[in-house]
Amino acid sequence: MSIFSKIIDGVIPGRFVWADDVCVAFSDVNPHADGHTLVVPRVEIDRFTDLDDETAAHLFVVAKRIGKAQIEAFGTARAMLIIAGLDVPHTHLHVIPADSQKVLDFASARTDVPGEELDATTEKLREALRNQGWGAFVPENMGSLQ
């Protein structure tokens, strides 16, 4: 069971901004920028190339919606998208608000972000998703899918 499956199952805490029947999205604990979010299918599939087409398309649509909300919430020029996948054997899309490509470098990830700061940036993104009409997919409790 991957760390992402443990987050989805509530074994490890997460900061959720999105949940539907196909995927969830939660804040990265080592963000490249404020609001860095991971879009993760509920089904544990190691490589994105093994996803069925419908799931792959759904993940991209959710990443697009989160990216638009990041631009609104954090005032950045763009939202960037990375599919890396070597660190965790569970497909995940990194959606990162950015004004520069420098944030795409994995060496730029912050490993010392206090929980209160992650909570604040996560809530800011959750509010932007609600403002854009996606409130039905924003879990009621940031820390749980229940």
Side-chain angles (χ1 to χ4, degrees):
M1 177 181 273
S2 77
I3 190 169
F4 294 156
S5 291
K6 291 177 182 176
I7 292 170
I8 292 167
D9 290 347
V11 176
I12 297 173
R15 290 173 174 86
F16 294 93
V17 302
W18 185 279
D20 62 35
D21 293 342
V22 176
C23 70
V24 300
F26 47 85
S27 294
D28 192 313
V29 295
N30 296 315
H32 294 218
D34 288 346
H36 179 170
T37 301
L38 302 175
V39 179
V40 183
R42 288 181 179 267
V43 175
E44 191 171 299
I45 297 173
D46 183 3
R47 296 179 297 246
F48 86 93
T49 53
D50 293 333
L51 293 169
D52 62 78
D53 290 348
E54 293 78 22
T55 301
H58 184 79
L59 294 176
F60 191 83
V61 168
V62 170
K64 178 181 150 195
R65 291 173 181 169
I66 288 170
K68 283 184 176 188
Q70 288 172 331
I71 291 167
E72 175 186 319
F74 301 104
T76 58
R78 300 194 184 280
M80 306 284 208
L81 183 64
I82 299 174
I83 304 173
L86 291 174
D87 52 340
V88 178
H90 189 148
T91 296
H92 54 289
L93 284 62
H94 294 259
V95 188
I96 307 169
D99 289 319
S100 163
Q101 280 193 225
K102 291 178 184 176
V103 301
L104 299 180
D105 183 353
F106 279 86
S108 73
R110 293 177 54 200
T111 59
D112 60 348
V113 183
E116 300 81 23
E117 186 177 329
L118 286 171
D119 289 347
T121 58
T122 301
E123 192 52 52
K124 192 171 185 178
L125 180 55
R126 288 163 51 87
E127 185 61 30
L129 284 164
R130 288 185 201 102
N131 289 344
Q132 292 185 1
W134 304 113
F137 299 104
V138 177
E140 186 174 322
N141 180 344
M142 173 177 39
S144 172
L145 295 176
Q146 311 315 330

